[in-house]
Amino acid sequence: MKPWKLLTLISLPAVLAFANGCAVISEDECQAGLWYERGIEDGARGRSQATVYEIAQKCHEYGVRVDTSDWMRGHEEGVEQYCTPENGFIQGRNGRDYEGVCTGPTADLFMSHYQQGLVVYQAEQQYLALENRYEKVEREYYSVSAQLDEDVSKKEARALRRHLRSLRREMRGLEHQMMRFGGFGAFNPGLFY
């Protein structure tokens, strides 16, 4: 396994826990005035510089002035933490939007890995859609099968059998499509990087 893939798997829970936050700031956070630290946090989450204006607007409602220069210095540091190839893959793999915060040589590496992660994410979403459709068709198949056990006319029985054949064909087609993603009930992300 490639080192960055292993690092991704190991660091994914920490990044997910760290990334759960919102852009709006509370009154207590405004009052605390830790603008440099807040800048680092927002930068490490991949938020754009426009975030400081949202924060300033919200803090203004509480009568607090934001030190934007401190926030910007912290943001720059946080962006350096965010703009790594490993994090690019993680962000793409989780289907997160990218706000274009990376610049210079790190931007290309970040975007390359972000795109790889996004391919895996999109493939997984396609697989899940196929799996959901399969489960729906399977439920319908069992429902139609149960109707055949009831007292139905020959004409109704023929129609139900035709419908069952059609559902079986669709299920086989879905199984075949899911094989491209690793198999039935087994999405394999390794096929996509």
Side-chain angles (χ1 to χ4, degrees):
M1 180 178 274
K2 294 181 181 175
W4 66 269
K5 289 181 187 177
L6 182 59
L7 180 61
T8 297
L9 293 174
I10 293 169
S11 63
L12 185 59
V15 169
L16 290 176
F18 180 69
N20 287 333
C22 58
V24 180
I25 191 166
S26 72
E27 183 175 2
D28 289 342
E29 291 171 312
C30 286
Q31 296 294 341
L34 302 170
W35 304 120
Y36 177 77
E37 293 79 2
R38 177 66 189 233
I40 291 174
E41 182 181 315
D42 289 335
R45 289 181 177 164
R47 293 185 179 147
S48 74
Q49 290 182 350
T51 303
V52 75
Y53 300 109
E54 294 173 28
I55 291 171
Q57 185 177 19
K58 191 66 178 173
C59 288
H60 180 73
E61 293 174 17
Y62 302 126
V64 177
R65 186 183 148 306
V66 174
D67 186 339
T68 55
S69 62
D70 271 1
W71 185 93
M72 292 292 241
R73 283 187 307 106
H75 182 264
E76 191 174 310
E77 187 176 318
V79 165
E80 287 178 23
Q81 296 170 22
Y82 178 82
C83 295
T84 65
E86 296 82 7
N87 191 46
F89 181 82
I90 291 168
Q91 298 302 315
R93 178 66 178 92
N94 289 305
R96 293 202 180 98
D97 291 332
Y98 170 59
E99 295 186 31
V101 297
C102 302
T103 58
T106 61
D108 293 339
L109 279 172
F110 178 91
M111 280 308 295
S112 168
H113 287 79
Y114 175 82
Q115 292 296 335
Q116 288 174 349
L118 200 56
V119 165
V120 176
Y121 171 79
Q122 290 168 342
E124 184 174 37
Q125 296 308 302
Q126 291 173 4
Y127 176 82
L128 292 173
L130 290 169
E131 190 174 52
N132 288 337
R133 177 65 186 157
Y134 184 91
E135 290 170 2
K136 182 179 178 184
V137 172
E138 186 177 45
R139 282 191 302 274
E140 186 177 352
Y141 179 86
Y142 289 122
S143 173
V144 172
S145 293
Q147 292 174 30
L148 267 175
D149 293 338
E150 298 170 3
D151 189 24
V152 294
S153 70
K154 288 183 181 184
K155 183 178 179 180
E156 290 172 323
R158 276 195 305 273
L160 289 171
R161 282 193 210 76
R162 270 196 307 274
H163 190 53
L164 282 175
R165 284 192 297 274
S166 171
L167 291 170
R168 271 196 302 265
R169 275 193 304 275
E170 185 174 358
M171 287 167 67
R172 281 195 301 271
L174 290 166
E175 289 169 2
H176 179 71
Q177 289 180 54
M178 284 189 277
M179 292 304 289
R180 295 185 342 222
F181 297 94
F184 182 71
F187 176 73
N188 183 354
L191 295 173
F192 300 95
Y193 38 96

